[in-house]
Amino acid sequence: MSENQRKSLRIKKQDQLKKKIEKREKKIELLKEIDKNLENVSFEKLSLGNKSNSLYVQNSLNQIERKLQKCKKKYYATEKKAKDSRPKAVKKLKKIEEKLLKLEKSTTKEDVKQQKKLEKMRKKHSLWEKIASEHENPKVLKAYADFQVEQEKQVYRVKVQVAHLRHRNKVTKDRLWWQLLSKEERKERRSDLSFYTPDVQGYWFTLLSVVAEIVYLVLLLGIMVRTFWVGITILVNIAFLLFLFTIAIKVKNYKKAFSFCSIVFGVYCIVRITWVIQGLMGVDLSEATMVKSGFIYGCNIYMILASVYVGLRSLYKIKRQEIYLKEEKISKIQLSK
């Protein structure tokens, strides 16, 4: 791809990002208008039928109004039902009051069963007292609370939409800012940012080496003759596992000494697979099955490649850090944050 083609693609991408930002900004303005109308809504003054220039705003407000009207109708229906049933509730309350008075007179402090019965009767009396009341009927109060919950839900939904759109716009603006940078500026920014992030790639490659070392050890012990070499192999490889885990942690934090340690371990794996296993320890890998020997060689080859790659990559990044420190483009205090 030629330089002109790349430039035209970048301009096209910038235009697309700008259009996305503009589109979301318009949507935010419309949502703000909906939110402003919802601020003035109350149970008594429910009308949202303002004449907005935007069809989206008007439709949204009409939809919200229908939901709130439904809750309001439910409240009035519940209130009417409670009003119609109030005479029966009053009669019921009188009967309960009579029973309660009789129980209170007949109940003594020593009679535990009667005390429990009296407590239940008092609760029942309290409930029916609310039902018979004009202002404290539980069903009517719940219906009014449902209206308030629905109103708050609609307000919250609009505010959440605005927050999401603003967040997405911020992300898009960051992308646009990145696109507007020149090639040299982007390269410098990547370098700057890389010093503040841990070397996660080297960390995971080395942790996979730990897994490969465990697999290699298990398979090797399975084909070894039971001599003193078994004990030495177990102890040495436990030490290597701890060593590899330490390398993973230190390489992640750009420690130069452990970058060299990683390369040294890779070199040792070459020596181990070519001479130590068969030459020094006398293990005959030809007697093992193709699968076992393949895994033993495969694990060691992976550890060679991964260790050398991680070590060299880490040294390269540390070298760049040192150059930046010398040129005073970045300070040690900044790197420690």
Side-chain angles (χ1 to χ4, degrees):
M1 193 182 285
S2 65
E3 189 64 35
N4 287 332
Q5 285 176 323
R6 284 178 187 171
K7 196 174 180 181
S8 63
L9 277 171
R10 278 184 67 190
I11 292 164
K12 193 178 178 182
K13 200 166 185 180
Q14 286 167 18
D15 291 337
Q16 285 175 350
L17 292 171
K18 283 174 183 175
K19 282 176 183 176
K20 281 183 181 179
I21 292 165
E22 284 172 15
K23 193 178 176 182
R24 288 187 195 129
E25 287 293 345
K26 285 176 184 175
K27 184 94 180 272
I28 288 166
E29 289 302 316
L30 295 175
L31 288 166
K32 279 182 178 178
E33 192 179 335
I34 294 167
D35 188 38
K36 194 176 179 181
N37 279 281
L38 287 173
E39 281 177 8
N40 303 319
V41 171
S42 63
F43 186 80
E44 293 77 20
K45 189 185 174 183
L46 186 55
S47 178
L48 291 167
N50 69 320
K51 292 180 181 179
S52 175
N53 295 326
S54 169
L55 187 65
Y56 171 77
V57 172
Q58 192 59 57
N59 288 339
S60 298
L61 289 171
N62 290 339
Q63 194 178 0
I64 293 165
E65 188 177 346
R66 280 196 294 271
K67 286 180 180 178
L68 294 175
Q69 285 286 7
K70 192 178 176 182
C71 292
K72 193 173 180 179
K73 282 175 185 177
K74 190 181 175 183
Y75 168 80
Y76 283 132
T78 309
E79 191 182 43
K80 188 178 180 300
K81 198 175 178 181
K83 194 176 180 181
D84 293 342
S85 62
R86 197 166 289 134
K88 290 180 182 179
V90 171
K91 285 179 183 178
K92 181 79 174 175
L93 182 63
K94 283 179 181 178
K95 286 178 183 179
I96 291 166
E97 280 176 350
E98 287 171 8
K99 287 180 182 179
L100 184 62
L101 284 167
K102 285 178 183 178
L103 269 172
E104 282 175 345
K105 286 176 182 179
S106 61
T107 304
T108 56
K109 289 182 180 179
E110 293 79 18
D111 196 338
V112 179
K113 284 184 180 179
Q114 284 291 92
Q115 284 285 349
K116 285 182 179 178
K117 198 175 178 182
L118 180 63
E119 190 62 35
K120 282 182 181 179
M121 189 58 72
R122 280 175 179 160
K123 284 180 181 177
K124 196 175 180 182
H125 177 267
S126 177
L127 177 64
W128 278 95
E129 198 172 31
K130 286 177 181 178
I131 293 167
S133 170
E134 289 183 16
H135 306 290
E136 292 187 27
N137 189 295
K139 288 182 180 178
V140 177
L141 292 173
K142 187 183 179 298
Y144 184 74
D146 288 343
F147 172 85
Q148 289 181 315
V149 167
E150 184 61 38
Q151 184 186 349
E152 287 168 9
K153 184 181 170 183
Q154 294 301 328
V155 171
Y156 177 74
R157 188 176 62 82
V158 172
K159 288 186 185 298
V160 166
Q161 280 182 304
V162 171
H164 282 172
L165 286 167
R166 278 177 176 164
H167 172 71
R168 286 173 68 188
N169 255 3
K170 186 183 179 301
V171 173
T172 309
K173 280 174 183 175
D174 289 342
R175 284 175 65 194
L176 179 62
W177 167 79
W178 181 257
Q179 287 292 325
L180 290 167
L181 292 174
S182 65
K183 194 177 178 181
E184 292 75 23
E185 284 176 320
R186 278 191 281 175
K187 191 177 178 182
E188 194 174 340
R189 290 282 177 182
R190 282 195 189 101
S191 298
D192 290 346
L193 290 168
S194 68
F195 299 142
Y196 295 100
T197 55
D199 189 0
V200 179
Q201 192 185 97
Y203 173 77
W204 284 111
F205 270 125
T206 311
L207 280 188
L208 284 171
S209 292
V210 172
V211 176
E213 182 71 14
I214 293 166
V215 173
Y216 154 77
L217 177 61
V218 171
L219 293 172
L220 187 69
L221 290 172
I223 60 172
M224 280 180 74
V225 181
R226 297 296 176 266
T227 61
F228 67 93
W229 279 113
V230 173
I232 292 169
T233 302
I234 291 167
L235 291 171
V236 168
N237 280 278
I238 287 169
F240 278 139
L241 289 172
L242 292 169
F243 180 60
L244 282 170
F245 188 74
T246 308
I247 288 172
I249 298 294
K250 298 295 181 180
V251 162
K252 188 180 178 182
N253 296 304
Y254 303 102
K255 300 295 179 185
K256 198 171 185 177
F258 286 88
S259 302
F260 287 114
C261 288
S262 183
I263 296 166
V264 169
F265 179 75
V267 173
Y268 165 74
C269 287
I270 296 169
V271 176
R272 180 167 68 182
I273 203 70
T274 54
W275 176 69
V276 172
I277 295 172
Q278 296 185 77
L280 182 64
M281 293 163 60
V283 179
D284 191 3
L285 293 176
S286 61
E287 291 181 3
T289 61
M290 286 286 288
V291 176
K292 282 187 177 180
S293 60
F295 267 103
I296 288 168
Y297 279 109
C299 288
N300 277 278
I301 289 164
Y302 170 78
M303 285 186 279
I304 292 162
L305 296 172
S307 298
V308 173
Y309 169 73
V310 167
L312 292 173
R313 184 174 175 276
S314 183
L315 283 172
Y316 171 71
K317 292 192 89 174
I318 290 164
K319 185 86 174 174
R320 281 169 62 203
Q321 272 191 357
E322 287 171 351
I323 291 165
Y324 262 64
L325 284 165
K326 279 180 184 177
E327 292 175 355
E328 294 183 350
K329 289 182 180 179
I330 198 167
S331 67
K332 285 185 178 180
I333 296 166
Q334 285 176 310
L335 284 173
S336 66
K337 286 181 182 178

